[in-house]
């Protein structure tokens, strides 16, 4: 009843073109535009598309007293089911809030519905960079509220570390700014706290000089070489005072039907200055692998805009997918044991139709953790004393809903074995990256007791009735 009343109230307040209803082509097209088909499996009663921060405020003033459940969608690129959609409720779709302004004070202001590709277009030619998605299709909020990794993270920290101001509409409908000078407790909470405090409608991020293109690309090679790549990765991370803060590395081992066998991929980036046309020396151990698939391997200098577009071109949209993750200390022997666990677990699921899956190693180098602290900190519970660390992402895409249970159960079981192996070796870290967490995980709990209590205090202060805990069921909640 509350949903029907809420939709009726929205229809009385806003043009019909902003309220998409079940059964219309516009509704179907929009609901099928998520990264993950598991999100599109959910069917809201209506999708509301505000055109301004004021209209977001008006939406909350209508929804709140009626206690109508809702979800908040930015770009819809986070794969967690239900984090940006809701069954039989109302999905608040921020996709029309797209304004981008590059300011003279060295910041860029970004509407909550923008994609990072548009941000990079606005910065292109200005010799500036910003910590944003590695894919031009990526949305702003899913990264800027949850941590987020960029090409520049080794040097510039997590994406959320670079948000100077959040413009946020609270449950009451009041719009405030959260930054280091105003509502600083909320500002810190939003740096990793997810969708628990209000609806962020605009983000202001710091930019930094990036006068030159940077090295970017992928190398595809065969499993026997992967252990040597693990040694190289851990060796780079554990260099005493000499690890490069200009590198961003992702090492993956996985399976795709097109290859018909377990394969490996290195995604490599070097964001610093380099001389000549040769790949920088620090990358060569990750690029000069033999044998490799030369026909699909490429490393070249690119602009930020083009590097993100290259990643986006390889992405799959509206496929069934699941991400899960854990974190360990940078230990080569443990990583090799984990790879063995993962590749063994692949065998029973290789027959799943359309399967593309990987175990991806992504470092949190010491320089990243130090930059986080330098930029005011965040809610993630990590510190320079924690590192260097390696994030372990289990990623899977597949074709058919009938295979959901088999695939997801296999992924969960594999993750449990990986965590147990790391714990037995004394190198498991409790941190779970919210961007890559699945429904059985508790990333906010993994931030630690102190951070968790601070987040709950902020929630009680700015959302005293718990609207974003009770009426917004999706995502990871503070009170369980």
């Amino acid at each position: 009843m509350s949903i029907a009343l809420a939709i009726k109230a929205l229809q009385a307040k806003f043009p019909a073109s902003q309220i998409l209803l079940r059964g219309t082509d516009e509704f179907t097209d929009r609901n099928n535009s998520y990264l993950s088909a598991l999100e599109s499996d959910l069917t809201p009663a209506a999708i509301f598309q505000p055109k301004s921060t004021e209209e977001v405020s008006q939406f909350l003033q209508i929804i709140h007293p009626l206690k109508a459940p809702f979800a908040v969608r930015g770009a819809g690129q986070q794969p967690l089911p239900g984090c940006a959609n809701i069954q039989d409720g109302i999905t608040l779709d921020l996709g029309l809030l797209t304004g981008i302004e590059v300011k003279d004070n060295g910041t860029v202001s970004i509407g909550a519905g923008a994609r990072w590709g548009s941000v990079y277009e606005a910065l292109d030619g200005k010799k500036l960079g910003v910590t944003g998605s590695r894919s031009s299709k990526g949305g702003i909020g899913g990264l800027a509220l949850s941590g987020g990794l960029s090409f520049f993270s080794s040097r510039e920290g997590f994406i959320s570390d670079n948000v100077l101001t959040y413009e946020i509409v609270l449950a009451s409908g009041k719009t405030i700014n959260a930054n280091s000078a105003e509502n600083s407790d909320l500002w810190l909470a939003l740096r990793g706290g997810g969708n628990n405090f209000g609806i962020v409608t605009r983000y202001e991020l710091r930019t930094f000089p990036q006068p030159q293109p940077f090295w970017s690309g992928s190398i595809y090679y065969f499993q026997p070489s992967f252990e040597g790549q693990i040694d190289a990765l851990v060796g780079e991370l554990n260099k005493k005072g000499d690890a490069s803060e200009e590198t961003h590395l992702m090492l993956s081992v996985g399976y795709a039907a097109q290859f018909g066998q377990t394969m490996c991929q290195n995604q490599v980036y070097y964001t610093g200055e380099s001389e000549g046309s040769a790949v920088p020396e620090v990358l060569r151990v990750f690029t000069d692998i033999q044998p490799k698939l030369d026909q699909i391997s490429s490393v070249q200098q690119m602009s930020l805009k083009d590097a993100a577009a290259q990643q986006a071109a390889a992405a799959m949209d509206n496929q069934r997918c699941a991400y899960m993750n854990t974190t360990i200390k940078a230990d080569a022997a443990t990583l090799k044991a984990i790879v063995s666990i993962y590749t063994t677990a692949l065998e029973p699921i290789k027959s799943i139709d359309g399967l593309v899956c990987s175990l991806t190693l992504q470092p949190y180098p010491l320089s990243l953790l130090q930059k986080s602290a330098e930029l005011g900190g965040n809610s993630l519970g990590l510190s320079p004393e924690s590192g260097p660390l390696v994030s372990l992402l289990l990623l899977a895409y597949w074709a058919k809903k009938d295979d959901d249970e088999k695939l997801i159960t296999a992924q969960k079981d594999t993750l449990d074995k990986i965590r147990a192996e790391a714990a037995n070796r004394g190198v498991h870290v409790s941190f779970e990256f919210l961007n890559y967490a699945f429904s059985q995980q508790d990333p906010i709990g993994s931030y630690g007791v102190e951070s968790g209590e601070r987040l709950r205090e902020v929630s009680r202060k700015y959302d005293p009735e718990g609207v974003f805990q009770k009426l917004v069921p999706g995502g990871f909640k503070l009170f369980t």
Side-chain angles (χ1 to χ4, degrees):
M1 181 63 74
S2 64
I3 293 297
L5 291 173
I7 292 173
K8 186 175 181 179
L10 290 170
Q11 289 172 321
K13 181 72 175 176
F14 298 102
S17 60
Q18 291 178 246
I19 305 163
L20 310 183
L21 298 177
R22 284 180 181 175
T24 64
D25 291 342
E26 293 83 0
F27 177 97
T28 300
D29 289 346
R30 192 60 181 160
N31 204 52
N32 287 339
S33 65
Y34 288 90
L35 168 70
S36 172
L38 275 69
E39 278 279 70
S40 297
D41 285 348
L42 302 173
T43 308
I47 300 169
F48 173 60
Q49 298 181 302
K51 294 183 176 181
S52 66
T53 297
E54 181 181 1
E55 290 188 352
V56 173
S57 173
Q58 292 167 349
F59 169 84
L60 281 170
Q61 291 175 65
I62 290 170
I63 290 289
H64 183 180
L66 294 174
K67 301 190 184 310
F70 65 100
V72 182
R73 172 181 177 166
Q77 295 293 292
Q78 193 165 330
L80 174 70
C83 71
N85 206 6
I86 187 169
Q87 183 65 38
D88 299 324
I90 297 174
T91 293
L92 175 67
D93 180 353
L94 304 179
L96 300 181
L97 305 183
T98 56
I100 298 166
E101 181 184 1
V102 182
K103 298 185 176 182
D104 293 338
N105 65 354
T107 68
V108 58
S109 178
I110 309 168
R115 303 284 184 121
W116 283 105
S118 298
V119 179
Y120 301 151
E121 288 274 1
L123 292 174
D124 196 48
K126 299 182 185 297
K127 297 186 176 182
L128 294 173
V130 66
T131 54
S133 173
R134 294 165 297 195
S135 166
S136 58
K137 293 181 180 178
I140 311 301
L143 296 172
L145 293 171
S146 306
L149 290 170
S150 81
F151 298 126
F152 305 103
S153 281
S154 295
R155 189 181 76 205
E156 305 292 345
F158 290 106
I159 293 171
S160 58
D161 296 331
N162 288 267
V163 181
L164 300 177
T165 296
Y166 296 90
E167 177 186 83
I168 181 170
V169 184
L170 303 179
S172 64
K174 181 180 180 181
T175 302
I176 64 172
N177 288 327
N179 52 47
S180 62
E182 308 171 81
N183 307 300
S184 59
D185 52 350
L186 178 58
W187 173 64
L188 192 65
L190 288 166
R191 289 176 151 197
N195 66 352
N196 283 295
F197 308 101
I199 300 169
V200 178
T201 52
R202 182 160 289 275
Y203 301 80
E204 185 170 340
L205 281 85
R206 61 183 282 270
T207 64
F208 45 81
Q210 186 63 32
Q212 71 285 329
F214 56 87
W215 287 92
S216 167
S218 292
I219 303 295
Y220 294 87
Y221 58 101
F222 301 95
Q223 188 179 350
S225 297
F226 200 67
E227 286 199 355
Q229 291 298 292
I230 288 173
D231 289 332
L233 176 68
V234 173
E236 171 63 24
L237 289 174
N238 286 325
K239 285 180 181 176
K240 298 299 182 183
D242 194 36
S244 173
E245 64 176 23
E246 301 290 357
T247 60
H248 181 64
L249 305 167
M250 293 183 279
L251 276 58
S252 300
V253 58
Y255 177 82
Q258 70 186 89
F259 293 120
Q261 61 179 305
T262 300
M263 291 292 296
C264 302
Q265 178 189 16
N266 290 354
Q267 292 164 274
V268 299
Y269 306 93
Y270 181 81
T271 57
E273 295 184 18
S274 58
E275 296 181 2
S277 58
V279 173
E281 184 176 354
V282 70
L283 291 186
R284 289 178 197 166
V285 68
F286 303 106
T287 61
D288 294 350
I289 306 166
Q290 293 296 340
K292 63 185 175 187
L293 298 180
D294 288 310
Q295 62 270 33
I296 58 172
S297 296
S298 174
V299 181
Q300 57 190 306
Q301 289 181 298
M302 293 185 179
S303 67
L304 173 57
K305 178 186 74 172
D306 291 342
Q310 183 185 61
Q311 272 226 3
M316 295 182 288
D317 290 325
N318 206 239
Q319 299 289 306
R320 310 197 73 74
C321 70
Y323 292 20
M324 305 175 192
N325 78 101
T326 191
T327 308
I328 72 167
K329 295 183 181 296
D331 179 75
T334 304
L335 286 170
K336 292 173 186 178
I338 285 169
V339 168
S340 178
I341 290 169
Y342 179 77
T343 54
T344 299
L346 285 177
E347 293 306 317
I349 62 172
K350 283 183 177 180
S351 61
I352 288 178
D353 190 23
L355 179 66
V356 177
C357 61
S358 69
L359 169 68
T360 298
L361 317 182
Q362 298 187 88
Y364 304 146
L366 191 58
S367 57
L368 183 161
L369 301 174
Q370 289 170 334
K371 192 66 175 183
S372 289
E374 178 187 322
L375 293 174
N378 53 47
S379 297
L380 305 181
L382 300 174
S383 70
E385 291 71 32
S386 307
L389 305 173
V390 179
S391 169
L392 307 175
L393 165 62
L394 282 72
L395 175 156
Y397 292 83
W398 65 101
K400 296 179 180 177
K401 188 173 184 177
D402 288 347
D403 291 320
D404 285 5
E405 183 177 358
K406 179 179 180 180
L407 190 287
I408 291 170
T409 299
Q411 290 277 91
K412 289 178 178 178
D413 290 347
T414 303
L415 182 63
D416 287 344
K417 291 175 182 176
I418 287 171
R419 282 192 294 224
E421 181 69 26
N424 288 338
R425 292 171 177 264
V427 297
H428 183 252
V429 177
S430 64
F431 178 70
E432 296 173 344
F433 198 37
L434 195 154
N435 292 118
Y436 299 151
F438 204 67
S439 51
Q440 87 280 11
Q441 299 196 263
D442 180 19
I444 289 182
S446 80
Y447 296 173
V449 174
E450 182 179 345
S451 181
E453 185 49 42
R454 186 169 61 244
L455 291 171
R456 286 186 286 274
E457 287 178 5
V458 171
S459 172
R460 285 188 284 260
K461 177 178 177 181
Y462 292 92
D463 182 18
E465 295 182 41
V467 168
F468 288 91
Q469 304 303 306
K470 300 170 185 174
L471 297 186
V472 183
F476 297 100
K477 302 289 97 173
L478 302 175
F479 299 89
T480 56

